[in-house]
Amino acid sequence: MSQESFDPFLPGHANSAWPLLKSLREQTPVAPIARGMFYVTRYDEARAVLRDVEHFSSAAGFRAPGVEVPEEDRVLGEQDPPQHPFIRRLVLSAFNVAAVRKQEPFIRDQARALLEAIPNSATVDLVEAFTVPLPNLATVHLLGFPLGDAKRIASWSREVMDSEWPAMNRTERGVGFDGAFPEFTAYIDDHIAHLRSAESIGEGGESLLVQLMKAELDGQALSDRQLRALVHNLLIGGITTTSQLLGNAAYELLSSEELACQIREDPSKIPQMLEESMRLAPPVMFIPRGCVKQVEIGGVLIPAGAKVIVGTASANRDERVFAEADEFVVPREGAERHLTFGFGPHLCLGAHLARTVGRIGIEELLGRFPQGSIELASGYVFEKVASFFEHGPRSLEVVTTL
């Protein structure tokens, strides 16, 4: 793949560009790539773009160049001031560290139940059995959707991420989220309408969704359409992205006996291992921005109207910041400085939940299967999920021998 042909919106390009990105990092902090886009390759410049809301807009989100989304249908990551700070503060009022901490017993119980359901001597896909269901159940429970609907919510979420909708805001079924995924849209809309009608009798409890429905700033609340966009964003992000985080970490442990022994001997290193996994194998490969005002970044002039790709995965391997950047090192001082959750005003709101699910998931996985009782199946080959901007295993076929 050449620099001129590199297009991160094409399936497979972002995940197969490691040699190219390493070369570009050595040459320049900002590189012109296909379709007139600019790719930010280094750490300091990536942080500079992510915190600069004057020159760079989030409105296009992960959409391909030229694709626009109506303002009322934009997810949180596609919003700019003044709308973004308003909605972000509403979400933060309900989706905080204390709220996630209350979920920990539920997450641990679900992790144990899922792992106990795996046969003692069998060949199992750990993605299907564990790394997808656990984040799915945690997110569905936190938002307050029925746990009995968790499987179909996860199926819808994966369908969204594997489609062309994230890039094009459409599929062959229609335009926008409601046109492309009418069943998923109707499900969310019906649930919001049901909770609105049931609020007087307290149905829905203190779920995140109910808190978001009640939250106001300066007397202003979210409309149902804004709630829908926010909810589908939280559902999809919480389920699919955290699934990749947990799947990538599990793969690292299963593919390195030395690392597995190190973590088993000292489980307190699990958070450090997770941070290093997120640095080296981030669930999301890049964050797009639109340049709205000409600006110079890293000595490179970026014209207004240009699509800028902040290569967070590339920045996570910037040798100027991380020594032996291509190696998995535990403990690594400063591993948590990675840009996997973004940086600045759009720092991922679900970061604490993702870290919590990842930590509990790995703790319970190692507790359920002692050393030598679970390993990758013979001939297993890592194949990533279909989404163009995600990195994570499509499957993790393991053999258990308890």
Side-chain angles (χ1 to χ4, degrees), residues 151-184:
K151 284 188 177 180
R152 63 170 171 165
I153 291 173
S155 178
W156 278 328
S157 298
R158 188 71 263 161
E159 181 185 1
V160 171
M161 295 297 276
D162 289 348
S163 75
E164 64 176 348
W165 179 84
M168 304 306 297
N169 193 40
R170 60 169 170 75
T171 67
E172 59 183 14
R173 298 184 70 184
V175 176
F177 185 70
D178 54 342
F181 305 100
E183 295 87 2
F184 198 2

Side-chain angles (χ1 to χ4, degrees), residues 42-356:
R42 296 179 187 169
Y43 185 88
D44 288 344
E45 287 75 15
R47 282 175 37 127
V49 172
L50 290 174
R51 67 172 170 245
D52 184 352
V53 296
E54 177 185 354
H55 296 93
F56 297 99
S57 167
S58 302
F62 280 88
R63 313 303 181 178
V67 176
E68 295 187 7
V69 180
E71 185 172 335
E72 63 269 24
D73 290 334
R74 293 175 188 168
V75 299
L76 188 59
E78 295 174 335
Q79 293 169 355
D80 291 322
Q83 187 75 353
H84 174 260
F86 162 69
I87 295 181
R88 184 178 176 87
R89 277 180 287 165
L90 279 180
V91 178
L92 278 174
S93 70
F95 192 26
N96 51 39
V97 172
V100 174
R101 189 176 294 121
K102 289 180 182 178
Q103 301 297 314
E104 288 198 25
F106 172 83
I107 296 170
R108 195 171 296 280
D109 287 345
Q110 295 302 314
R112 290 176 178 173
L114 290 167
L115 291 167
E116 286 296 329
I118 296 176
N120 289 341
S121 298
T123 300
V124 179
D125 178 5
L126 202 61
V127 168
E128 182 179 340
F130 185 60
T131 67
V132 166
L134 182 60
N136 177 29
L137 288 164
T139 304
V140 168
H141 184 256
L142 181 65
L143 278 164
F145 284 84
L147 291 182
D149 294 341
K151 284 188 177 180
R152 63 170 171 165
I153 291 173
S155 178
W156 278 328
S157 298
R158 188 71 263 161
E159 181 185 1
V160 171
M161 295 297 276
D162 289 348
S163 75
E164 64 176 348
W165 179 84
M168 304 306 297
N169 193 40
R170 60 169 170 75
T171 67
E172 59 183 14
R173 298 184 70 184
V175 176
F177 185 70
D178 54 342
F181 305 100
E183 295 87 2
F184 198 2
T185 299
Y187 174 82
I188 294 173
D189 287 349
D190 289 348
H191 191 65
I192 291 172
H194 173 72
L195 288 179
R196 287 232 188 265
S197 65
E199 260 190 307
S200 60
I201 59 172
E203 188 171 332
E206 290 303 311
S207 69
L208 174 59
L209 177 54
V210 168
Q211 291 182 63
L212 289 173
M213 292 169 64
K214 294 179 178 178
E216 292 185 354
L217 277 176
D218 301 325
Q220 185 177 356
L222 295 172
S223 69
D224 283 0
R225 191 162 175 176
Q226 288 173 316
L227 272 171
R228 177 214 291 167
L230 185 55
V231 166
H232 94 246
N233 182 206
L234 292 171
L235 280 173
I236 294 170
I239 294 169
T240 61
T241 305
T242 308
S243 296
Q244 311 319 331
L245 184 159
L246 182 56
N248 287 333
Y251 173 73
E252 293 290 348
L253 287 170
L254 290 165
S255 57
S256 171
E257 185 175 350
E258 179 181 355
L259 176 64
C261 287
Q262 179 186 5
I263 300 303
R264 288 181 184 278
E265 289 174 3
D266 186 0
S268 69
K269 290 181 179 177
I270 288 175
Q272 298 173 0
M273 185 273 292
L274 284 171
E275 296 300 330
E276 180 69 344
S277 177
M278 287 187 281
R279 183 194 70 83
L280 198 63
V284 175
M285 298 292 292
F286 60 87
I287 301 174
R289 289 288 186 266
C291 183
V292 294
K293 187 188 300 184
Q294 181 174 286
V295 65
E296 185 177 292
I297 296 290
V300 177
L301 189 66
I302 301 179
K307 188 85 170 181
V308 177
I309 309 300
V310 182
T312 47
S314 175
N316 285 351
R317 298 193 183 198
D318 189 342
E319 298 81 357
R320 296 156 191 79
V321 179
F322 303 103
E324 299 179 298
D326 291 329
E327 301 299 320
F328 197 104
V329 178
V330 176
R332 175 188 290 277
E333 185 177 353
E336 71 282 355
R337 295 176 61 199
H338 61 73
L339 299 181
T340 295
F341 291 119
F343 183 74
H346 280 275
L347 183 70
C348 177
L349 289 172
H352 187 65
L353 177 62
R355 285 184 166 106
T356 300

Side-chain angles (χ1 to χ4, degrees), residues 11-12 158 161-163 383-390 392 394:
R158 188 71 263 161
M161 295 297 276
D162 289 348
S163 75
E383 181 182 355
K384 74 166 226 69
V385 292
S387 172
F388 68 93
F389 63 91
E390 286 186 294
R394 185 192 294 267

